[in-house]
Amino acid sequence: MPNISRVIHLGPSGVSKPDRASVFMKLEGKKISASPHIGIKAELKDITLIGYPEEDSADGSIVDQGWRSFDVLPGSEQVLLASGRDIDKVAAILVVNATVLLDPPNFRAMLESPDMSESIGPMFGEHGGLIIKHFLGSRWGKTNVGGGCYFFESETDIEAYLSSEFWANVSAETPWENVTYEMYA
């Protein structure tokens, strides 16, 4: 299995890389032109993405500092494997967050189910330019917040993905509300 982050923090720009972080990206907010079927586009801002290789290595001191912190849920590796793309080629990131209307253990259980684990990789990995979808579940704070952190090869690929029939169907069928979209270079 590929080695991907187990915890992702999204926070303000201008912070330093923590010692135990394996991923550190300064992200520039970009305007989304596509009109997704459901939800709103968040205001433009620059952020920092920090990834940790193990759950116990994640810095918990940021909880009260306005950061968003997520566990990377099962299924993410299958998307990377199915896409066949190089994770080092990421040039654009899409963050989709929402209030999940399933209890978080049930959402996690759904992603871990044999049916889902067999189909999740091909379901997402076949989309142009999509390298990996990190399935997200809130780590601290509001535990019913989830979504995805998608690594793409280009901003154009994100626009095409958000305009696709696939995304319209997935977003309409997902049990969630208060959906927001953010795009970064």
Side-chain angles (χ1 to χ4, degrees):
M1 272 303 174
N3 187 15
I4 65 169
S5 297
R6 295 289 165 225
V7 175
I8 290 178
H9 291 326
L10 300 171
S13 62
V15 299
S16 300
K17 181 180 179 182
D19 291 337
R20 296 185 290 179
S22 58
V23 176
F24 184 80
M25 296 181 190
K26 296 177 181 182
L27 304 178
E28 177 187 353
K30 296 296 213 170
K31 181 180 179 197
I32 298 172
S33 297
S35 296
H37 175 72
I38 189 170
I40 61 167
K41 301 171 205 174
E43 72 177 66
L44 287 182
K45 62 184 172 192
D46 296 345
I47 66 170
T48 302
L49 183 150
I50 300 173
Y52 293 91
E54 302 297 330
E55 291 179 14
D56 61 354
S57 64
D59 181 3
S61 69
I62 51 88
V63 174
D64 296 325
Q65 299 175 23
W67 287 68
R68 292 176 284 166
S69 184
F70 301 95
D71 288 320
V72 176
L73 301 176
S76 302
E77 295 94 347
Q78 283 83 4
V79 177
L80 179 59
L81 290 171
S83 79
R85 294 182 177 88
D86 185 348
I87 200 164
D88 293 328
K89 301 288 186 193
V90 62
I93 294 176
L94 172 66
V95 176
V96 179
N97 283 154
T99 303
V100 179
L101 300 178
L102 293 171
D103 292 331
N106 291 339
F107 183 61
R108 184 181 298 264
M110 179 184 75
L111 290 172
E112 290 174 339
S113 74
D115 289 344
M116 186 62 81
S117 64
E118 290 177 16
S119 64
I120 203 80
M123 183 188 316
F124 286 93
E126 67 184 23
H127 296 280
L130 177 59
I131 299 168
I132 185 173
K133 175 184 179 179
H134 298 88
F135 293 92
L136 303 177
S138 185
R139 185 166 179 77
W140 296 296
K142 294 182 179 181
T143 58
N144 62 340
V145 174
C149 181
Y150 303 73
F151 288 6
F152 280 88
E153 293 177 331
S154 74
E155 293 172 35
T156 304
D157 292 326
I158 290 175
E159 296 285 356
Y161 181 78
L162 291 176
S163 299
S164 71
E165 186 176 322
F166 171 80
W167 182 249
N169 291 336
V170 166
S171 61
E173 293 171 4
T174 302
W176 59 3
E177 62 187 8
N178 306 318
V179 181
T180 61
Y181 302 87
E182 303 161 65
M183 183 168 68
Y184 300 97

